[in-house]
Amino acid sequence: WVLLMAASSTEISKWLTLSITLAFATISTSAAAISVYFWSKRRSTTDSKDRIIKELQKSLKESMAKCAAERQGRIRAQQDLRKAMLQPKTDNLEISYPMAPIATIRSCFSTRNGTPRQPLIVPLARARLMFDTARVPPASLEGLEEYSHCWIIYVFHLNTDLDKLWKDPSRSKLKAKVRVPRMKGEKMGLFATRSPHRPCPIGLTVAKVESVEGTSILLSGVDLVDGTPVLDIKPYLPYCDSIKGALVPDWVKVDNLLAVASVDFSEDFFASLSSIWPAMDKKSLYTSAEEFQRLIKEVLLWDIRSVSQRSQDEQGPSEVSSNDDETRIYHLNLEGLDVTYTITSNANVLVQNVTHSPNTNLPP
């Protein structure tokens, strides 16, 4: 029995050892299987990421190639356009650039007569630049109020020879030389002057920016007549627009040739102006009749007569004033008001009267 028990104990021990060994083998096999699974999963994830990256790189490369091709196409088109525009004209075809005004000037100067010949010489001369909202969004004016002055590119729309623009150049008869007021009517080459009568009647002026209000700009120091079409405006930059040491001919330096000796008003002038001012008050660019009178004086401090008018005065007057002094009566139209004045041979101006002009509407 003892031997039997010892044998049984030995068998049991062997079976336990075998069972434990099998258990560890099973666990090891499972661990190995799990390890293989996770490695396979990780490999699969890595392969997927690599595939996605390669696809993105391929897509990016194709997009960059497409953009480069489009850019090359645009460059070629622009080069072809410039080449075509630079070619000599054939079949009487002319190259034109379609441009339309982006704004209109509402000026204190109702007519060409009296409008200053140069900008800023009449500081009180005001105008409102009204933008076409269909062409110019209000946001395009943001930041302009930070500048003190701006350039204005415009059209000389009241030129009497605009019909020449539609004629063949050989028949347009544009003048190569023009009479210069500062030279007492002597002629100078067109491009040595600022005459409005030019092959392309485009003007350039500078004005003070008083304020930016919505889609309009209030300007001062203008030399623009009411209704002037505006093509563009640009901010004035002192560091590059003001040229130190710039040279001009001697005849340009003669300022006193167009300056008058004095400007006086008749005794009843201000009473006449005050009587009609209530109708102007809300529509005028000026706050009072006194300020408007100062504008008149600033304008007439310069001889606004044309060369032909001054030469006619030297030959003899056509109208005689009430004081029997042989002087011609002239008219200045400001904001629809007709201002009459005389000027003596000694360049003394006397402003006589002011009335509503029958041919000019009040400013809008």
Side-chain angles (χ1 to χ4, degrees):
W1 171 254
V2 173
L3 291 174
L4 182 60
M5 289 294 292
S8 297
S9 176
T10 302
E11 289 296 325
I12 291 170
S13 177
K14 289 180 178 179
W15 279 107
L16 286 174
T17 302
L18 180 60
S19 298
I20 293 170
T21 301
L22 289 173
F24 275 112
T26 302
I27 293 171
S28 298
T29 302
S30 299
I34 292 171
S35 298
V36 170
Y37 171 79
F38 280 110
W39 178 83
S40 176
K41 186 73 174 177
R42 187 164 56 249
R43 179 63 181 272
S44 176
T45 303
T46 302
D47 291 344
S48 177
K49 288 182 179 179
D50 291 341
R51 185 173 62 257
I52 292 173
I53 290 173
K54 288 181 179 180
E55 290 176 355
L56 290 174
Q57 289 175 338
K58 181 180 178 181
S59 177
L60 178 61
K61 186 176 180 180
E62 291 175 351
S63 297
M64 291 178 67
K66 184 178 180 181
C67 290
E70 291 177 352
R71 183 173 181 273
Q72 288 297 323
R74 288 196 301 271
I75 292 174
R76 283 195 296 270
Q78 291 170 355
Q79 290 174 342
D80 292 342
L81 177 61
R82 285 196 295 268
K83 184 178 179 181
M85 295 175 68
L86 292 174
Q87 288 180 348
K89 292 181 293 184
T90 58
D91 300 329
N92 295 324
L93 294 177
E94 293 187 359
I95 298 169
S96 61
Y97 299 88
M99 295 184 186
I102 62 170
T104 304
I105 290 291
R106 296 304 175 198
S107 172
C108 64
F109 299 107
S110 304
T111 63
R112 291 183 303 165
N113 179 41
T115 303
R117 294 184 176 92
Q118 302 298 340
L120 305 179
I121 63 174
V122 180
L124 270 177
R126 292 176 189 159
R128 191 175 295 279
L129 194 151
M130 311 288 293
F131 283 94
D132 179 359
T133 55
R135 297 178 59 85
V136 179
S140 61
L141 299 180
E142 291 180 6
L144 182 62
E145 71 280 357
E146 298 180 29
Y147 295 90
S148 65
H149 294 76
C150 68
W151 294 106
I152 303 169
I153 303 172
Y154 62 96
V155 179
F156 289 109
H157 70 299
L158 294 183
N159 278 5
T160 56
D161 56 354
L162 286 179
D163 61 306
K164 295 180 180 179
L165 296 175
W166 286 269
K167 293 182 179 179
D168 185 88
S170 62
R171 298 175 56 246
S172 64
K173 296 182 180 179
L174 285 168
K175 295 180 179 179
K177 289 191 173 184
V178 295
R179 297 186 182 277
V180 180
R182 290 174 181 264
M183 299 178 66
K184 297 182 178 180
E186 293 185 22
K187 291 185 177 182
M188 184 61 63
L190 170 65
F191 293 114
T193 73
R194 294 191 175 186
S195 169
H197 303 285
R198 319 182 75 81
C200 293
I202 296 175
L204 173 67
T205 189
V206 66
K208 188 175 187 296
V209 178
E210 295 290 347
S211 62
V212 178
E213 305 168 2
T215 56
S216 69
I217 307 172
L218 180 61
L219 305 167
S220 66
V222 301
D223 59 346
L224 300 169
V225 68
D226 189 60
T228 296
V230 174
L231 298 177
D232 194 17
I233 64 168
K234 303 177 188 295
Y236 177 87
L237 304 177
Y239 77 91
C240 61
D241 290 341
S242 178
I243 304 173
K244 294 182 179 180
L247 301 177
V248 297
D250 290 338
W251 60 266
V252 176
K253 302 175 185 178
V254 185
D255 290 335
N256 59 353
L257 184 64
L258 297 178
V260 303
S262 65
V263 176
D264 297 308
F265 294 84
S266 65
E267 293 182 0
D268 57 349
F269 175 83
F270 188 73
S272 299
L273 178 60
S274 299
S275 66
I276 61 178
W277 188 253
M280 298 285 298
D281 193 19
K282 294 182 179 180
K283 298 181 179 180
S284 176
L285 292 167
Y286 300 89
T287 58
S288 65
E290 291 83 358
E291 188 179 37
F292 191 82
Q293 184 173 352
R294 292 199 300 273
L295 167 68
I296 296 171
K297 185 170 184 176
E298 282 190 5
V299 173
L300 294 179
L301 279 172
W302 298 88
D303 192 345
I304 62 175
R305 296 175 299 170
S306 66
V307 173
S308 61
Q309 286 175 331
R310 289 202 298 273
S311 62
Q312 288 174 6
D313 275 354
E314 293 175 359
Q315 297 174 2
S318 62
E319 294 183 31
V320 179
S321 63
S322 59
N323 60 3
D324 292 333
D325 185 13
E326 293 185 352
T327 53
R328 189 184 302 267
I329 297 176
Y330 290 98
H331 297 262
L332 169 65
N333 200 307
L334 297 173
E335 289 197 325
L337 298 183
D338 181 35
V339 179
T340 57
Y341 71 97
T342 60
I343 181 169
T344 66
S345 57
N346 295 325
N348 294 304
V349 173
L350 177 63
V351 185
Q352 296 181 333
N353 195 18
V354 57
T355 58
H356 281 296
S357 175
N359 299 321
T360 308
N361 295 326
L362 291 176

